[in-house]
Amino acid sequence: MYVDEQLYRSLAIRIPSLEEQEMREVLSCITFSVPSRSQSDFSSDAIALYSSHGDSNFITPVKERREYKESPLKPGGDELQVTPGGYAEYRNLVVQKRLFDDVKQQMDFLCQAFHDIVPDHLLNCFSHGDLQSLMFGVHEVQIESMMKHVEYGESIAETSQIVQWFWTYVSSLSNQRRLELLQWITGITCLPIGGFSRLGRRIKLVQDVAGPDRLPTVSTCTFTLHLPKYRSFSQLKEKFDLATSDYVFGIV
């Protein structure tokens, strides 16, 4: 949402029920189109920035054919002055207009197109969390599940030292770093519903014939990780950290 930070703070500080912590939480979710200014720069009549009158009324600017015109926020709003007791109502009316009324036509078209693909009665079967998972996937990599859905090449054994070091390394990673490792190996940013069993293919570990001074490499098309035979766990960790840092892709 793009708004004037000075205007927002001018409205917010006039509402006694809005605590500073609440204001900070709201501000952290907003991108401001007007650069932030210090608290000392906030004018007591900043609301008048959105009005051509000397006092602030229940109006807001509306752009029509490259020109801004005043639009009442409520019947007779252009004649109603915003008093200290009416700031909360003014703020709510501005939010209602900017975030809902002004984009109602666009949202109606978007909803219609969405329901053309997914009928409304089917949506009732899902919670918002289910829909989020279906659309954006699962953002949690469980080490036990990953181990069950990995296969090994002929030249490398599941019980070999290098494989044990690899799983020790994966276990030491945070969930975010595991997601980054998953993307590095497979090219996908998250798991589908059902986890590794629904990927369509297994991640494959194979022994790389290159020497221990080489970085590990991957073939994302086949989910294959080529693992050099490192001499120690610390060497393996160093090479993997370097290979996967900052999403470095290419020929090494």
Side-chain angles (χ1 to χ4, degrees), residues 74-85:
K74 57 190 296 187
D78 52 341
E79 301 294 336
L80 295 175
Q81 184 177 350
V82 180
T83 63

Side-chain angles (χ1 to χ4, degrees), residues 39-91:
Q39 185 70 32
S40 61
D41 292 333
F42 295 151
S43 172
S44 61
D45 62 345
I47 299 176
L49 291 171
Y50 285 78
S51 172
S52 61
H53 302 290
D55 297 316
S56 302
N57 293 0
F58 280 87
I59 57 177
T60 189
V62 176
K63 190 174 184 179
E64 295 182 0
R65 297 181 180 179
R66 300 183 180 181
E67 294 183 359
Y68 282 96
K69 298 182 179 180
E70 295 175 352
S71 174
L73 292 169
K74 57 190 296 187
D78 52 341
E79 301 294 336
L80 295 175
Q81 184 177 350
V82 180
T83 63
Y87 289 130
E89 181 187 10
Y90 175 79
R91 178 198 60 186

